Amino acid sequence: MNALHPVLAALLSCSLVAASPPVDDLVITVQDATTLRLTWSPVSGGSGYNMYRGTDPWFEPTPSNRIASTADTFLTCPRETSRGFFLVCVVMGNDLVIHPPGEFVMGEPYVSQPEHSVRLTHTFALSRFEVSNQEFMEALQWAYDHELVSVSIYNRVLALPLEEELLDLNDGYGEFAFADGQFALLRCPSAAGWGFGEALTYDPAPRPVQNINWYAAASYCDWRSLMEDLTPYYSNSWSEIPHPRNPYDSRSYRLPTEAEWEYAAQFNDERTWPWGLEGADCQRMNQAVNCVGWSSPVGTHGSGVSGLGLHDLCGNALEWCNDRHGEFDWGDTVAVTDPVGHPFNSERS
């Protein structure tokens, strides 16, 4: 999925979702008469830390109760303003946006999934930008170097040990090449060569990865987890029906559930578009037919960001979710909590 009002296109992308895990050895000491010092050990895979303060020991971290961010493993706080309980969460990856728990109305009237109330009880972090070709290629190269993928004699990339095709390097739309053990990006893929000048200037590196199937998107999440010494969520169990693990319990990278995706797109006023109520235009989103004719570099449309600053939730490229797709039970319109999608269908959202 790619939008509340998705633009239909044969383009697929993926975003990452990950829990923002708390540090487990937070120590608070009195530094002097006016200052507290909070310290903790570095966490592998973290790019920084967010500090939160709440009124009870079980509070959930939200943007409203975040008091500081730091790349260090310590923080000082004035004693007179530091009453309460503290939580330090790891900022995972390059740029993830934390979303607090909440309730919202999911779905649309008179479609396969009617409106119904959804409650999400877990904090989660979603990548600010769509995954770019450069990011995907770097992870793909890492996976190949660590014997997690192989290239068959037909020049297709396969996931091991399931041998599920991830992407076809010769499909006419791909932007990846492979030779002598190295992946590379094609600067002039045939799909971009509608105009001679456009083909010469087209740079796939900053644009969202596309034409990948669900297995490739899920594999990328696992590769990122392994690269950061995290336990991979899918771990070769992606074909099991139903999936043996609850996505909301994950502490590593995975695809967002459809509920998480829609909650992020609507946050926090159930808006019509990710940016608000104003209609779509080429300044807020990229539609392949009406705007640039191909994908834009991720983060190009700054006026179309969501309430918490996510880019390209509408337009540019479609996105995979974690859920299996299935018809919604029209009689089941009561509130649901932490939905995981259809339990048995083989199709993906």
Side-chain angles (χ1 to χ4, degrees), residues 21-138:
V23 299
D24 56 12
D25 61 350
L26 178 62
V27 176
I28 303 175
T29 57
V30 177
Q31 184 167 332
D32 54 43
T34 61
T35 308
L36 296 178
R37 182 178 175 87
L38 293 82
T39 58
W40 57 92
S41 299
V43 177
S44 176
S47 60
Y49 306 90
N50 288 328
M51 173 74 67
Y52 303 86
R53 183 174 65 239
T55 57
D56 64 79
W58 304 279
F59 78 93
E60 287 281 353
T62 69
S64 62
N65 58 31
R66 186 173 68 185
I67 60 175
S69 298
T70 180
D72 299 316
T73 56
F74 64 89
L75 194 69
T76 57
C77 298
R79 291 185 66 179
E80 65 271 15
T81 60
S82 298
R83 296 183 182 274
F85 298 88
F86 292 91
L87 185 67
V88 174
C89 291
V90 184
V91 179
M92 298 174 59
N94 295 325
D95 197 352
L96 297 180
V97 177
I98 293 178
H99 288 69
E103 296 185 21
F104 71 106
V105 176
M106 182 176 178
E108 295 180 79
Y110 313 113
V111 295
S112 60
Q113 187 174 107
E115 289 185 328
H116 59 289
S117 178
V118 171
R119 183 165 69 100
L120 296 176
T121 64
H122 295 263
T123 297
F124 64 97
L126 195 65
S127 56
R128 188 179 302 275
F129 304 103
E130 293 174 311
V131 176
S132 70
N133 284 305
Q134 182 68 34
E135 291 173 317
F136 188 89
M137 184 190 69
E138 290 174 357

Side-chain angles (χ1 to χ4, degrees), residues 10-24:
L11 307 175
L12 296 175
S13 184
C14 58
S15 292
L16 294 174
V17 67
S20 182
V23 299
D24 56 12

Side-chain angles (χ1 to χ4, degrees), residues 150-170:
S150 65
V151 179
S152 75
I153 59 175
Y154 301 106
N155 209 28
R156 290 183 171 89
V157 180
L158 306 180
L160 298 177
L162 297 179
E163 296 188 352
E164 182 71 44
E165 181 177 311
L166 301 185
L167 66 155
D168 186 342
L169 298 176
N170 290 328

